[in-house]
Amino acid sequence: MRVLCAFPEAMPSSNSRPPSCLAPVALFLALLLHLSLSSQAGDRRPLPVDRAPGLKEKTLILLDVSTKNPVRTVNENFLSLQLDPSIIHDGWLDFLSSKRLVTLARGLSPAFLRFGGKRTDFLQFQNLRNPAKSRGGLDIVRSDVALDKQKGCKIAQHPDVMLELQREKAAQMHLVLLKEQFSNTYSNLILTARSLDKLYNFADCSGLHLIFALNALRRNPNNSWNSSSALSLLKYSASKKYNISWELGNEPNNYRTMHGRAVNGSQLGKDYIQLKSLLQPIRIYSRASLYGPNIGRPRKNVIALLDGFMKVAGSTVDAVTWQHCYIDGRVVKVMDFLKTRLLDTLSDQIRKIQKVVNTYTPGKKIWLEGVVTTSAGGTNNLSDSYAAGFLWLNTLGMLANQGIDVVIRHSFFDHGYNHLVDQNFNPLPDYWLSLLYKRLIGPKVLAVHVAGLQRKPRPGRVIRDKLRIYAHCTNHHNHNYVRGSITLFIINLHRSRKKIKLAGTLRDKLVHQYLLQPYGQEGLKSKSVQLNGQPLVMVDDGTLPELKPRPLRAGRTLVIPPVTMGFYVVKNVNALACRYR
């Protein structure tokens, strides 16, 4: 500043200006001098920018939950599983007695196990006395030696060499199955009585209730359903006293392209009434549940099919079912799983299905069956990675909030990359996510209230929420928490951490954190996960790891790391909605 004060004095007096006029010039020259000196010293730091008073760099989100009444109550088996009939084709059905697979499935019980998929309508039942002859060659089922009896279940330890041979066989069949899927042309499958025994044994040992989807494409000349094969299967199952629920067909809206013969909604409704008439004289199935029509994405033609079906057979089914696939598996990137626009596509489909169902049978239960993140069998290192969990967890939260009673995940275990368990019998990230959900989340859905969550919307632009928060009563079967506790599950799609302050009824309560993050160098593409910093792996073939929470002191702000998912149990809230079943 001394230089600036002396500068006017050095100028000729005849051209001098009032000192007040020189102030801006002096400031400008001082700034240039400062920048010049900083540059010579190697200082490349930006000039500090003054912030508006009171403006915080991070927005603190206030969160409260309505605890008096639940907004929804879903099925106890809300998160359920599916097995595709392709496991007959590639040989994995014969390994369902694996102790490791049964242990993993038990972790997700209670649940429904739907046996159905693209190959449902090419499945034929044969009660053969010697099923080995029908397959030809080595009967790989004979690997089931030294069966271990556990509560009447047949559990096997398969030799490593036989598992390796099966993996080689399955890898070869995987190419065949993908070719069928891309061409939409499927070969017939034979389900023997022995194979059905193995399927039911797996479901029963795992604490899962089997739902069997029957072939609906066996047609008479007048296009009515030919039930001869189905009747044979029903009689055999009844003779074994198998407790099974039933469906008929899979995605009937695709029958024209798959079989060259369309089945409209009205005819399909008549077929379901025919199936109901087959079940009623069979004592064990006279009150068996019946689900359908398992339509695909509700486009205009599919909605027309559903409308015709509900008009004829809406009162015949116990729940109305449909399927959903988020992404074309042939074109997918890891960032696709983080797009909020993609996460929200399901909401519109739910409303379309509910509108038709409530027109004919108000209050009828609706199920989402066969939900997958990516089509065409999925994408390796993406559909089976940590990144896919954002879609899966958001699906669970959104469906429960909008009143969908059950969601069935395709698939627990089969070919492709959309499954929960891989072909080495190792649980993938979505399995651990599902296990945490099962252990911590109860069927009662609670309303969430937040403040400070969204920025001010910009004109002409939709601001979509990248922080998703859902709340349920804590699972009453979890004896680590007393009734009245609440569990939050939170998805943070932001690239920055988010801070959440519990308010209202949740203020100053103890919280248990279950933060699920990717483990290893692959980041979002990782197939391994860590819980509160500890990698999750099975202890042995018969033991799942303990899911240990990280206790947070009462009143502490929840800090959600960027691009992560977590569960937070708020203890001892004594929520009225959660105190009773």
Side-chain angles (χ1 to χ4, degrees), residues 81-107:
L81 308 170
Q82 179 167 323
L83 278 176
D84 193 279
S86 62
I87 62 172
I88 301 171
H89 219 324
D90 61 20
W92 281 118
L93 186 142
D94 294 330
F95 289 82
L96 290 181
S97 56
S98 163
K99 184 177 182 180
R100 192 175 179 92
L101 274 183
V102 171
T103 299
L104 289 166
R106 281 177 179 168

Side-chain angles (χ1 to χ4, degrees), residues 312-441:
V312 174
S315 60
T316 302
V317 293
D318 294 275
V320 177
T321 61
W322 100 100
Q323 298 188 25
H324 177 67
C325 177
Y326 280 101
I327 309 173
D328 184 344
R330 289 166 288 188
V331 184
V332 62
K333 303 182 295 296
V334 67
M335 297 309 296
D336 289 340
F337 295 103
L338 308 182
K339 293 178 179 178
T340 56
R341 191 175 299 275
L342 178 67
L343 270 63
D344 291 338
T345 56
L346 187 58
S347 184
D348 185 53
Q349 292 194 27
I350 294 171
R351 287 190 290 268
K352 288 179 180 178
I353 298 292
Q354 288 175 331
K355 182 179 180 181
V356 177
V357 172
N358 290 330
T359 298
Y360 296 99
T361 53
K364 176 75 70 175
K365 301 295 184 182
I366 301 175
W367 292 11
L368 177 58
E369 287 189 339
V371 61
V372 294
T373 54
T374 52
S375 65
T379 305
N380 191 21
N381 295 323
L382 287 175
S383 310
D384 49 2
S385 71
Y386 177 86
F390 295 110
L391 276 178
W392 178 225
L393 188 57
N394 185 72
T395 297
L396 295 171
M398 182 179 290
L399 290 173
N401 263 278
Q402 293 192 234
I404 302 304
D405 194 48
V406 171
V407 53
I408 297 182
R409 170 62 187 255
H410 186 293
S411 173
F412 174 70
F413 171 81
D414 68 359
H415 80 99
Y417 306 103
N418 280 316
H419 41 228
L420 300 180
V421 179
D422 69 17
Q423 295 192 354
N424 292 313
F425 298 168
N426 289 323
L428 293 165
D430 276 7
Y431 175 85
W432 297 116
L433 194 59
S434 302
L435 183 64
L436 281 166
Y437 189 97
K438 278 286 188 178
R439 295 280 179 87
L440 300 174
I441 302 296

Side-chain angles (χ1 to χ4, degrees), residues 186-211:
Y186 299 93
S187 56
N188 289 328
L189 284 175
I190 301 298
L191 178 72
T192 65
R194 188 173 185 179
S195 294
L196 181 60
D197 293 341
K198 283 185 166 291
L199 175 65
Y200 189 82
N201 177 73
F202 170 73
D204 192 43
C205 292
S206 304
L208 310 176
H209 177 76
L210 183 62
I211 301 173

Side-chain angles (χ1 to χ4, degrees), residues 71-82:
V71 293
R72 300 274 190 277
T73 301
V74 297
N75 199 296
E76 289 276 355
N77 294 0
F78 175 73
L79 195 167
S80 289
L81 308 170
Q82 179 167 323

Side-chain angles (χ1 to χ4, degrees), residues 135-368:
R135 286 189 296 268
L138 173 67
D139 182 8
I140 203 166
V141 182
R142 295 187 183 182
S143 64
D144 290 357
V145 293
L147 293 178
D148 178 26
K149 297 283 185 178
Q150 291 187 8
K151 300 178 182 178
C153 298
K154 296 179 179 179
I155 310 296
Q157 291 283 9
H158 301 94
D160 290 341
V161 63
M162 190 149 292
L163 284 170
E164 191 58 37
L165 288 172
Q166 167 57 24
R167 290 188 191 102
E168 291 177 6
K169 172 189 173 183
Q172 295 172 359
M173 288 304 304
H174 178 62
L175 299 176
V176 176
L177 295 172
L178 280 179
K179 184 178 179 181
E180 288 186 351
Q181 196 156 335
F182 284 130
S183 64
N184 215 22
T185 304
Y186 299 93
S187 56
N188 289 328
L189 284 175
I190 301 298
L191 178 72
T192 65
R194 188 173 185 179
S195 294
L196 181 60
D197 293 341
K198 283 185 166 291
L199 175 65
Y200 189 82
N201 177 73
F202 170 73
D204 192 43
C205 292
S206 304
L208 310 176
H209 177 76
L210 183 62
I211 301 173
F212 194 100
L214 298 164
N215 183 342
L217 268 181
R218 287 176 62 91
R219 294 276 145 185
N220 296 315
N222 65 352
N223 208 30
S224 63
W225 178 49
N226 185 327
S227 60
S228 57
S229 179
L231 185 58
S232 176
L233 192 154
L234 290 172
K235 288 181 177 179
Y236 176 80
S237 300
S239 71
K240 303 287 284 188
K241 297 183 179 180
Y242 288 161
N243 181 20
I244 302 176
S245 296
W246 304 94
E247 288 185 345
L248 182 59
N250 185 82
E251 288 193 276
N253 46 286
N254 287 335
Y255 284 172
R256 182 180 291 279
T257 56
M258 293 173 61
H259 191 66
R261 174 183 286 185
V263 178
N264 61 35
S266 177
Q267 179 58 56
L268 189 63
K270 295 175 183 177
D271 300 336
Y272 264 79
I273 292 173
Q274 182 182 349
L275 173 56
K276 189 76 171 180
S277 67
L278 291 180
L279 293 171
Q280 286 177 340
I282 303 174
R283 184 175 180 180
I284 192 172
Y285 298 134
S286 60
R287 296 184 179 180
S289 295
L290 185 59
Y291 306 109
N294 202 256
I295 54 173
R297 183 177 296 182
R299 297 185 177 94
K300 186 176 180 180
N301 64 316
V302 180
I303 288 295
L305 189 151
L306 178 61
D307 188 88
F309 175 84
M310 294 301 299
K311 191 178 299 183
V312 174
S315 60
T316 302
V317 293
D318 294 275
V320 177
T321 61
W322 100 100
Q323 298 188 25
H324 177 67
C325 177
Y326 280 101
I327 309 173
D328 184 344
R330 289 166 288 188
V331 184
V332 62
K333 303 182 295 296
V334 67
M335 297 309 296
D336 289 340
F337 295 103
L338 308 182
K339 293 178 179 178
T340 56
R341 191 175 299 275
L342 178 67
L343 270 63
D344 291 338
T345 56
L346 187 58
S347 184
D348 185 53
Q349 292 194 27
I350 294 171
R351 287 190 290 268
K352 288 179 180 178
I353 298 292
Q354 288 175 331
K355 182 179 180 181
V356 177
V357 172
N358 290 330
T359 298
Y360 296 99
T361 53
K364 176 75 70 175
K365 301 295 184 182
I366 301 175
W367 292 11
L368 177 58

